[in-house]
Amino acid sequence: ARASRRAQYAFTALAPFVLLGCGLSAAGIAAGFVSLLVCGVFGCLIAGADLLVAVRALAAGRGALLLDHPVRCGFFAFLCSGG
């Protein structure tokens, strides 16, 4: 496992919401398939924890390095001192 900067970590955490939620919803609306739209809305709902983790990652502090927790939903934040 590698630590990442908070913007990279937030981008990775938001990917399921954007792709499986918003992407499928937009494709369902554009194509007129209600079942695809329903799958997209469901994808938005189940990505709720990912949204919360992304918000917490962005609030972690400037210069923080984030590392996924091995068992629980969340991360460890390492703040580097400026010395």
Side-chain angles (χ1 to χ4, degrees):
R2 248 178 69 155
S4 6
R5 301 223 177 263
R6 65 184 182 150
Q8 294 168 331
Y9 190 91
F11 177 77
T12 304
L14 286 173
F17 175 77
V18 172
L19 296 175
L20 298 176
C22 299
L24 285 178
S25 295
I29 291 171
F33 290 127
V34 176
S35 59
L36 193 57
L37 176 61
V38 170
C39 287
V41 170
F42 184 68
C44 287
L45 291 176
I46 62 173
D50 294 330
L51 288 173
L52 293 175
V53 168
V55 168
R56 291 195 65 181
L58 290 174
R62 182 166 275 209
L65 293 176
L66 306 177
L67 181 65
D68 270 335
H69 192 282
V71 178
R72 300 180 69 186
C73 180
F75 53 87
F76 295 108
F78 298 97
L79 298 174
C80 302
S81 62

